[in-house]
Amino acid sequence: MSSQRQMMIKEKIKDCMREKFQSYSPETSYMPFHHRLLGKDRMALYSFIQSLNTTFGVSIYEPVAIALAGERFKVAKTQVKPFNQISTEAQRQIQTIINELVIGTDREPNKSLETQEIREVCQTGNLETVKLTQVDVWLENYEGELFLFDLKTVKPNKSNFEKFKQTLLQWTAAELTRDPKAVVNTIIGFPYNPYEPEPYKRWTLKGMLDLGCEVLIAEELWDFLGGEGSYADLLDAFEIAGIELRSEIDSYFEKFRHES
């Protein structure tokens, strides 16, 4: 990452944090023992961190992802509504794929095969209007290939993987309904590896997701978006932004210390 781009990313992070400060309102729950033991400023900071964890994807990761990908891709957008029609036969095929993966028949996750199966029926049957999950990060390269990302918390419940798979298959079907010749990649993105330095516990994803095609984690994700070395440079940008924001952060939470 060039120093100019790293500075741009750093400023983007700072802008996102300042916007969060302006819109944030601490919960008004009365916690007298906590307040007296830890102080209202620390409790406000704790509440802020909890709120930030909830919204980090939209508030931080998505804007940063678009800023990184904007230099490498023809189109880079966030929170995009996918095409809203899928054929009845494509919907039936999606359910067949999921059922067979859940039951554990001879079928194993295979993104290429699944996409081809959907492509073959994407124009068959009636077209039905559907309401699909919005795409967190939507990319199109200069060859017209699409990359649709669903950014997730780093420790999802195993029970959610069926829903993840359904979302990816539905996005694929919707875009193939729009254009049967489209080249579509639908991907789950995990911004970091909570098990570092150990490998991500991908075994929790097995059986439902094609790990080689449908999952990008930490360095894999950010280097795909911004090019080789982007993950390491991004961590540095976050550190620098934090150092430069420290006085603003301290000042923001200092006011809670003196609240009655």
Side-chain angles (χ1 to χ4, degrees), residues 198-213:
E198 298 298 321
Y200 190 86
K201 295 180 180 179
R202 290 175 182 251
W203 59 267
T204 60
L205 309 174
K206 289 181 178 178
M208 190 59 65
L209 299 175
D210 185 338
L211 302 184
C213 300

Side-chain angles (χ1 to χ4, degrees), residues 46-84:
Y46 170 77
S47 177
F48 177 82
I49 292 172
Q50 293 293 95
S51 174
L52 188 61
N53 284 340
T54 302
T55 63
F56 219 87
V58 175
S59 301
I60 307 291
Y61 293 140
E62 290 179 21
V64 169
I66 296 304
L68 279 174
E71 295 185 1
R72 300 187 68 229
F73 291 86
K74 179 181 178 181
V75 177
K77 298 184 291 185
T78 185
Q79 290 302 308
V80 177
K81 291 183 179 180
F83 191 61
N84 68 345

Side-chain angles (χ1 to χ4, degrees), residues 15-249:
D15 289 344
C16 292
M17 285 294 292
R18 286 170 177 146
E19 290 176 9
K20 182 67 177 177
F21 283 138
Q22 291 175 1
S23 63
Y24 174 68
S25 178
E27 294 184 8
T28 57
S29 56
Y30 181 58
M31 304 176 71
F33 296 105
H34 294 73
H35 290 160
R36 284 165 173 74
L37 178 65
L38 301 173
K40 287 188 175 181
D41 55 335
R42 292 190 179 93
M43 288 303 298
L45 176 59
Y46 170 77
S47 177
F48 177 82
I49 292 172
Q50 293 293 95
S51 174
L52 188 61
N53 284 340
T54 302
T55 63
F56 219 87
V58 175
S59 301
I60 307 291
Y61 293 140
E62 290 179 21
V64 169
I66 296 304
L68 279 174
E71 295 185 1
R72 300 187 68 229
F73 291 86
K74 179 181 178 181
V75 177
K77 298 184 291 185
T78 185
Q79 290 302 308
V80 177
K81 291 183 179 180
F83 191 61
N84 68 345
Q85 290 188 316
I86 299 177
S87 75
T88 53
E89 288 304 310
Q91 293 187 70
R92 185 174 289 108
Q93 183 58 41
I94 288 170
Q95 195 58 53
T96 296
I97 292 170
I98 291 175
N99 288 345
E100 291 180 356
L101 290 173
V102 170
I103 294 171
T105 62
D106 292 336
R107 179 186 286 272
E108 294 184 356
N110 184 321
K111 186 61 171 285
S112 177
L113 174 61
E114 293 158 7
T115 300
Q116 184 57 36
E117 290 174 341
I118 294 173
R119 191 187 303 275
E120 290 173 357
V121 296
C122 65
Q123 302 290 310
T124 304
N126 299 322
L127 292 184
E128 294 187 345
T129 300
V130 292
K131 185 177 181 181
L132 303 182
T133 303
Q134 289 197 147
V135 179
D136 291 333
V137 176
W138 176 295
L139 307 178
E140 180 183 346
N141 66 17
Y142 287 93
E143 290 72 42
E145 188 172 356
L146 298 176
F147 300 87
L148 281 52
F149 284 87
D150 193 4
L151 300 184
K152 293 298 184 183
T153 57
V154 295
K155 289 186 177 182
N157 294 324
K158 191 172 183 179
S159 60
N160 290 337
F161 296 148
E162 182 177 337
K163 177 62 177 175
F164 295 172
K165 184 71 171 189
Q166 182 180 43
T167 295
L168 298 185
L169 293 175
Q170 287 176 331
W171 285 352
T172 299
E175 289 310 306
L176 292 179
T177 299
R178 190 206 307 257
D179 177 8
K181 296 182 179 180
V183 180
V184 187
N185 304 276
T186 55
I187 305 164
I188 299 292
F190 296 104
Y192 64 93
N193 173 14
Y195 308 106
E196 192 74 28
E198 298 298 321
Y200 190 86
K201 295 180 180 179
R202 290 175 182 251
W203 59 267
T204 60
L205 309 174
K206 289 181 178 178
M208 190 59 65
L209 299 175
D210 185 338
L211 302 184
C213 300
E214 292 183 304
V215 181
L216 290 178
I217 300 170
E219 187 173 1
E220 298 171 340
L221 173 65
W222 297 107
D223 284 7
F224 176 84
L225 295 172
E228 186 177 355
S230 290
Y231 178 62
D233 290 336
L234 187 59
L235 292 177
D236 290 342
F238 267 83
E239 182 176 13
I240 296 169
I243 292 171
E244 295 182 2
L245 282 171
R246 186 156 297 165
S247 61
E248 294 180 45
I249 295 172

